[in-house]
Amino acid sequence: MVSFLDDTARTALGAESQTRSPKISSADFNYSFSQDAEDEGVISIEELQASQPNQRPASTPAEQTSSSVVDSSPIDHRTRVLYPEFKRRQRDSPHWTQGTHAGVTLDHVRDYLTWFGTLSPSNKHIADTAVNKIQKYFEKKTQEKKSGQENIQQAPDSPTPNSSHNGIESIMETPVKNNTTNDTAAKAEKAVTLPLKENKVLLNKPLDGRRMMSTSSAAYAKLELLTQKESLFADVKRKNFANEVKEPEVKRVQAVTLSEEQNQVIELARQGHNLFYTGSAGTGKSLLLRSLIKSLKKQHPLGSVGVTASTGLAACNIGGQTLHSFTGIGLGDAPADKLVKKIKRNPKMKDRWRDLEVLIIDEVSMIDAGLFDKLDMIAREMRKQRDVPFGGLQLVICGDFYQLPPVTKNGEPVFAFESQAWKQAIKYTIVLKKVFRQQSDRDFINMLNEVRNGNVSEATARKFRALSRPLASKEGVIPAKLFPTRREVDRANSTMLKQLPGAEVVFRAFDGGSLTDEDQRQRLLSSFLAPERIALKKDAQVMLIKNMDETLVNGSLGKIVDFIDPDTYSHYRSIKSDKIDVKTLEEKAANSMNKGPPKRDERHLIEDSTVLESQLDENVFSFLKELKEEQPEDLPESAQKNIERKIELLNQLYSSSKNRRMPLVRFIQADGTTREVLIEPETFSLEDEFERPIVSRTQIPLILAWSLSIHKSQGQTLPLVQIDLRNIFERGQAYVALSRATHRRGLQVKNFNPSRILTHEKVVAFYDSLMTVDEIKDREENKRKKTAGFVSSTQLDRLENLAENVADAGDFVNEKDNVIDEFDSVWSGQ
Ligand SMILES: Nc1ncnc2c1ncn2[C@@H]1O[C@H](COP(=O)(O)OP(=O)(O)OP(=O)(O)O)[C@@H](O)[C@H]1O
């Protein structure tokens, strides 16, 4: 843990705190750069408050004799109220280190000093000294900043913004230096230890005593921050990490590091703002959200961060629930007051709403205004805070309104951003600008932008039409096919399946749930990803539709290796890991074979008519073959016999388990390696407020994946993809489909017709209403001209100095409290 206050300032504030009763240790003032602050023993606000009965921060001799005098003072009253809050902010807010202080000007600081100086002759002296110090400090910092920038330009080993390869920021491994305990190193460390899965993989590797240093070009990049209502002054003070890495570069490894703008979203969310972040397809919204969720979960108590998305698929992607099921609104059709009653009947849901601190909503484009307003009303009611949007919940919302709109029975969709609740609740809108998905084909990004805006030029249309040529199949990888309608998808998949040799294995779903209205039931069931009936074959290309663990997630692609029952599979695994001898295997196999008929739901799941081969595919035994081939000479006859006996036993098991066989799938993982997993049935359900299924479906969590509907492809990245746009029926559909591709090389487009590529006018207007970065900068610049400039962390450093001076003065304890109070006022822009 690293304190952001330098020693003197900390001593000053710590010393000051010691005059208070009860005492608060100087550790209370520590700010941790680590996102694991809670884990590192940083005192919580509750603890802090508990340590200050009545939250009375000041305790001067005068107060000790006559507390009523002190209590009647407006300044002390403010101090009393603000002090714990001040400390909380001091501890929690990156403002303190990064200097983002919307609305606070140097004039405030000067006014303050002037006022402070008028209090007494000694104060005047202190104020003058502080001004002096401030001036010198400012000059020094400006000088440092300047020379830092020069160093960035000059240092041969310092990465520049151009040093990122294909947009992936590089991470440099640098030997740990003796002075790596300094703040800068710690900050640099933080930059790579963001809770990003990709980073974690990298960081989990032993580093041979080397410390990871981010050389992200983004560290110096200007923020591209758009905000709808409030300006977030983006004068973020960034240290030049690379500049301080004196050692020559040791080794470069490629890794995914969050960009500056992505990090900024995390910072804003951690500061507790209600925000909506958006951006074109491929700007890393989902990747960022996964990181953000981890970060917020660490920051907030268990169970207080609600992770939701508008659709089941999107919810799976972020390890959450649908918004409907999480909030307990079921189908959400009833009026808000009825829904509140319904939720209140369920104690678990009541607790959930009470404990909730942050509500995350992904794929917000598919949520309509009506639902958004209802949720606002429900939240106010459930949390008994009727005057605050969403009852004081923090909202973190993500999505792209240019992509798929809310489902409407008829007429125009009404988007969430049109709701009253949105206007009241959402303070920050951030538009991510850097496109990662198509970064190796810049011209393609421009083409996609035209599709996004529904304004395709003739030149771009020509380029899209040129993409109708067939794709060259690469190393047997068949491109994914995208179609607008489910019918087209099913047809394309079954054509592919038929072309494969071998028998079909058909799995029928097992449906349940309390809903009796058959029409509604079918409508809901048909929205599940898992089909009622799925026919598969060996070698079929499939997609997993449930998250299984860190590496096998909804959307993972694989091929079916074989169909095996769980017993055979478990024996197969034991043999593979060499954990079983022939004798034990014989015993276990005998038990399994005597098991009797399969269970009811297993029987139902696999169609009786299915024909299965009686011999396990040789793929399954490849590891044994390899073993034999690798050691033809050395393998003793007994060992060979053992292997053959094991194969024989497996085959016996296999043929005795006809109706229990499940697909064994070889998945391709993100790092290119493969992993075999036996897929067993899973239950998908839509639940009521008591978490009882309204409708449920038990089915193997796989779908054929040669072809996908455009709706299901939302959120995917597809390097090889064929798209047929003939039957597009929704605005945004063509954009979603085309933007799945990473490069034109891997994209085939059929039936491209620019006149059918449309966008919702309302969406265009909404995005137009967001200010551009340049506009924000201009606005800030104008303000700056009018005032003396914005307070940055440099100014706050000066205020710390001021506090230090006051502490040194000793006699001015009362004023010292005023300093703290004023300090807080300056900080919060009052
Ligand atoms: N900071 C980053 N550095 C490198 N690659 C990144 C970064 N952020 C995202 N990516 C990559 O960009 C691709 C698109 O990311 P992601 O799916 O999160 O985008 P998205 O904005 O959610 O897209 P969509 O709106 O189309 O669903 C992914 O392959 C992801 O790994």
Side-chain angles (χ1 to χ4, degrees):
M1 191 171 74
V2 182
S3 161
F4 96 98
L5 293 173
D6 62 26
D7 284 340
T8 42
R10 195 167 52 244
T11 313
L13 291 170
E16 179 257 357
S17 73
Q18 283 160 23
T19 66
R20 300 174 189 283
S21 175
K23 283 181 182 169
I24 302 161
S25 86
S26 61
D28 295 352
F29 294 96
N30 282 357
Y31 177 84
S32 167
F33 277 108
S34 159
Q35 300 202 344
D36 294 329
E38 301 89 318
D39 306 337
E40 296 184 34
V42 175
I43 193 166
S44 72
I45 179 124
E46 288 78 11
E47 287 168 306
L48 184 64
Q49 283 167 345
S51 74
Q52 304 172 83
N54 308 322
Q55 301 177 358
R56 179 74 182 90
S59 176
T60 66
E63 290 163 24
Q64 282 160 9
T65 51
S66 173
S67 64
S68 60
V69 174
V70 174
D71 280 346
S72 63
S73 146
I75 288 173
D76 282 324
H77 171 72
R78 277 201 300 158
T79 309
R80 185 169 62 247
V81 174
L82 290 174
Y83 188 69
E85 173 64 1
F86 154 65
K87 291 220 287 186
R88 185 186 70 76
R89 289 184 194 178
Q90 186 183 25
R91 201 189 65 238
D92 288 344
S93 174
H95 280 172
W96 287 82
T97 57
Q98 296 183 341
T100 303
H101 307 287
V104 183
T105 70
L106 272 177
D107 282 349
H108 284 99
V109 182
R110 292 213 182 99
D111 286 352
Y112 163 70
L113 286 172
T114 314
W115 163 79
F116 186 68
T118 58
L119 292 181
S120 74
S122 322
N123 276 22
K124 171 104 179 55
H125 173 70
I126 292 168
D128 288 345
T129 317
V131 170
N132 232 327
K133 267 190 161 185
I134 286 168
Q135 199 55 39
K136 284 197 181 127
Y137 191 62
F138 183 71
E139 280 164 14
K140 193 173 134 220
K141 287 279 164 181
T142 315
Q143 194 50 43
E144 274 174 16
K145 205 173 160 193
K146 260 194 201 158
S147 61
Q149 275 162 0
E150 278 159 22
N151 284 344
I152 297 172
Q153 283 155 19
Q154 287 163 11
D157 285 324
S158 316
T160 65
N162 295 336
S163 69
S164 74
H165 305 289
N166 299 324
I168 297 177
E169 307 297 350
S170 60
I171 304 271
M172 191 162 79
E173 291 180 21
T174 304
V176 178
K177 292 181 288 176
N178 290 339
N179 63 353
T180 45
T181 50
N182 67 31
D183 280 7
T184 308
K187 284 179 195 172
E189 238 186 347
K190 180 201 162 206
V192 289
T193 52
L194 279 164
L196 187 65
K197 198 194 290 178
E198 287 81 344
N199 280 347
K200 240 187 170 168
V201 172
L202 186 75
L203 290 167
N204 284 341
K205 289 184 191 162
L207 290 175
D208 307 331
R210 280 178 298 213
R211 193 175 284 271
M212 307 296 291
M213 300 290 277
S214 169
T215 62
S216 159
S217 60
Y220 328 115
K222 284 274 175 203
L223 292 174
E224 291 184 308
L225 184 73
L226 300 190
T227 160
Q228 192 180 4
K229 289 183 185 165
E230 278 181 44
S231 108
L232 175 73
F233 181 59
D235 177 24
V236 173
K237 187 174 100 178
R238 292 282 171 198
K239 280 273 186 186
N240 171 13
F241 302 140
N243 203 26
E244 299 187 23
V245 177
K246 299 283 188 311
E247 303 287 341
E249 179 184 297
V250 176
K251 184 181 162 191
R252 276 175 190 278
V253 263
Q254 296 280 309
V256 177
T257 302
L258 291 188
S259 66
E260 182 61 33
E261 56 183 11
Q262 288 172 325
N263 274 322
Q264 183 65 17
V265 173
I266 294 195
E267 277 174 22
L268 283 173
R270 285 181 65 86
Q271 286 160 27
H273 294 294
N274 277 359
L275 58 95
F276 163 56
Y277 74 88
T278 181
S280 318
T283 45
K285 297 183 293 296
S286 306
L287 184 132
L288 167 60
L289 193 59
R290 286 192 283 271
S291 212
L292 187 54
I293 290 167
K294 281 189 188 168
S295 179
L296 290 177
K297 280 190 169 173
K298 282 186 177 177
Q299 192 188 11
H300 293 269
L302 193 70
S304 65
V305 178
V307 180
T308 75
S310 56
T311 67
L313 185 56
C316 272
N317 267 332
I318 51 171
Q321 281 173 262
T322 62
L323 184 63
H324 289 77
S325 89
F326 181 84
T327 53
I329 59 170
L331 301 177
D333 291 343
D337 56 339
K338 289 227 167 89
L339 292 174
V340 168
K341 279 187 193 147
K342 180 176 164 167
I343 296 168
K344 280 187 176 165
R345 282 198 297 268
N346 181 347
K348 196 173 162 195
M349 279 296 161
K350 264 172 80 177
D351 290 352
R352 176 176 288 174
W353 275 103
R354 188 201 54 214
D355 297 342
L356 204 58
E357 290 178 7
V358 188
L359 181 62
I360 293 169
I361 308 175
D362 193 14
E363 299 286 11
V364 71
S365 67
M366 297 185 77
I367 289 170
D368 69 40
L371 179 62
F372 203 74
D373 275 333
K374 266 185 208 172
L375 285 171
D376 175 38
M377 288 184 248
I378 293 168
R380 288 176 195 241
E381 208 51 52
M382 293 305 298
R383 299 168 60 76
K384 299 191 175 65
Q385 291 193 59
R386 295 184 183 88
D387 301 332
V388 201
F390 281 83
L393 273 184
Q394 184 192 353
L395 292 183
V396 176
I397 298 180
C398 166
D400 177 14
F401 287 105
Y402 277 104
Q403 297 189 34
L404 294 170
V407 179
T408 46
K409 284 189 190 119
N410 38 40
E412 272 274 289
V414 186
F415 293 94
F417 64 76
E418 297 179 75
S419 66
Q420 277 308 312
W422 184 284
K423 285 168 194 148
Q424 288 172 11
I426 304 300
K427 295 292 176 210
Y428 289 111
T429 297
I430 301 147
V431 181
L432 301 177
K433 302 298 276 182
K434 185 174 164 82
V435 177
F436 290 98
R437 187 177 289 133
Q438 293 88 12
Q439 61 194 341
S440 59
D441 189 351
R442 311 296 311 174
D443 192 34
F444 185 36
I445 294 180
N446 298 333
M447 292 163 64
L448 288 174
N449 273 337
E450 290 187 21
V451 174
R452 178 179 175 81
N453 295 319
N455 203 357
V456 180
S457 66
E458 188 39 46
T460 296
R462 255 200 314 278
K463 288 183 197 167
F464 272 116
R465 282 193 210 100
L467 296 178
S468 63
R469 85 286 181 237
L471 285 175
S473 152
K474 257 192 193 167
E475 294 158 16
V477 181
I478 302 164
K481 289 195 179 89
L482 300 187
F483 294 96
T485 65
R486 210 157 165 167
R487 206 163 22 87
E488 291 166 288
V489 173
D490 290 345
R491 202 180 316 127
N493 274 329
S494 42
T495 308
M496 290 299 292
L497 193 72
K498 282 202 180 82
Q499 285 171 15
L500 286 179
E504 276 186 0
V505 181
V506 180
F507 296 87
R508 274 197 181 282
F510 198 67
D511 294 340
S514 57
L515 192 69
T516 46
D517 178 330
E518 199 47 37
D519 278 354
Q520 233 186 352
R521 194 179 158 74
Q522 287 312 321
R523 189 169 58 81
L524 289 173
L525 282 169
S526 69
S527 70
F528 285 0
L529 270 181
E532 195 273 322
R533 176 185 186 278
I534 181 167
L536 300 171
K537 276 184 186 177
K538 276 183 201 170
D539 289 331
Q541 189 159 308
V542 288
M543 182 191 276
L544 190 64
I545 53 172
K546 260 215 157 160
N547 288 343
M548 295 187 72
D549 55 34
E550 287 273 298
T551 54
L552 286 187
V553 291
N554 184 9
S556 295
L557 285 169
K559 258 189 182 182
I560 296 188
V561 176
D562 213 323
F563 297 89
I564 315 184
D565 68 288
D567 278 346
T568 313
Y569 182 65
S570 114
H571 293 129
Y572 156 74
R573 301 243 323 165
S574 308
I575 295 173
K576 197 168 177 177
S577 57
D578 208 17
K579 280 195 187 136
I580 196 161
D581 56 40
V582 170
K583 195 162 170 292
T584 323
L585 182 65
E586 271 173 346
E587 283 164 12
K588 290 197 165 200
N591 282 340
S592 301
M593 282 185 263
N594 291 334
K595 232 180 184 175
K599 284 188 240 126
R600 186 172 157 270
D601 52 345
E602 287 173 340
R603 257 202 330 266
H604 273 78
L605 211 63
I606 304 177
E607 258 183 17
D608 291 346
S609 59
T610 303
V611 184
L612 289 165
E613 281 100 308
S614 57
Q615 196 74 10
L616 267 173
D617 192 278
E618 65 167 18
N619 253 326
V620 175
F621 295 120
S622 57
F623 72 97
L624 291 171
K625 271 179 29 190
E626 276 162 25
L627 186 70
K628 277 204 276 187
E629 278 159 19
E630 271 169 23
Q631 304 166 311
E633 309 289 314
D634 307 357
L635 210 60
E637 201 183 328
S638 62
Q640 282 208 24
K641 276 204 174 130
N642 270 346
I643 290 173
E644 268 143 30
R645 178 67 185 137
K646 283 176 179 173
I647 293 176
E648 195 184 317
L649 279 167
L650 269 187
N651 264 322
Q652 277 176 22
L653 261 169
Y654 180 67
S655 46
S656 71
S657 64
K658 194 171 158 188
N659 285 331
R660 281 197 290 262
R661 293 179 194 174
M662 298 293 153
L664 177 65
V665 182
R666 185 168 294 150
F667 287 101
I668 304 158
Q669 302 185 105
D671 63 0
T673 58
T674 58
R675 183 174 152 197
E676 278 170 18
V677 178
L678 187 74
I679 299 296
E680 299 201 54
E682 294 272 354
T683 299
F684 303 79
S685 61
L686 182 71
E687 291 165 353
D688 65 12
E689 71 268 34
F690 302 105
E691 296 193 355
R692 287 178 313 219
I694 301 171
V695 281
S696 71
R697 167 162 288 172
T698 304
Q699 178 59 288
I700 50 161
L702 293 176
I703 53 172
L704 287 172
W706 289 290
S707 167
L708 283 178
S709 72
I710 293 174
H711 273 74
K712 278 178 196 155
S713 76
Q714 178 150 296
Q716 303 285 334
T717 297
L718 302 169
L720 266 187
V721 55
Q722 263 178 23
I723 300 168
D724 190 337
L725 296 174
R726 182 192 304 272
N727 293 321
I728 47 171
F729 57 90
E730 191 99 84
R731 286 162 202 246
Q733 216 175 10
Y735 176 60
V736 169
L738 296 168
S739 60
R740 298 310 97 199
T742 52
H743 197 289
R744 276 173 293 174
R745 259 198 314 268
L747 170 66
Q748 181 184 9
V749 187
K750 292 183 185 166
N751 299 305
F752 184 86
N753 178 355
S755 67
R756 302 203 52 204
I757 294 188
L758 302 169
T759 337
H760 287 281
E761 293 301 324
K762 295 189 286 194
V763 172
V764 179
F766 172 67
Y767 276 78
D768 281 350
S769 77
L770 306 177
M771 288 176 72
T772 66
V773 176
D774 290 340
E775 282 164 348
I776 289 176
K777 279 185 197 152
D778 283 352
R779 197 175 70 179
E780 301 306 348
E781 194 51 42
N782 286 338
K783 272 193 197 165
R784 222 197 310 265
K785 278 179 195 157
K786 279 188 203 151
T787 62
F790 279 72
V791 170
S792 67
S793 55
T794 321
Q795 276 84 50
L796 283 180
D797 287 346
R798 294 169 202 155
L799 279 177
E800 282 172 23
N801 273 338
L802 192 61
E804 186 188 348
N805 282 333
V806 177
D808 286 344
D811 294 329
F812 294 91
V813 180
N814 244 341
E815 282 72 19
K816 207 161 48 189
D817 289 328
N818 298 341
V819 170
I820 298 301
D821 196 0
E822 202 61 32
F823 203 113
D824 191 43
S825 307
V826 170
W827 187 87
S828 60
Q830 290 164 10

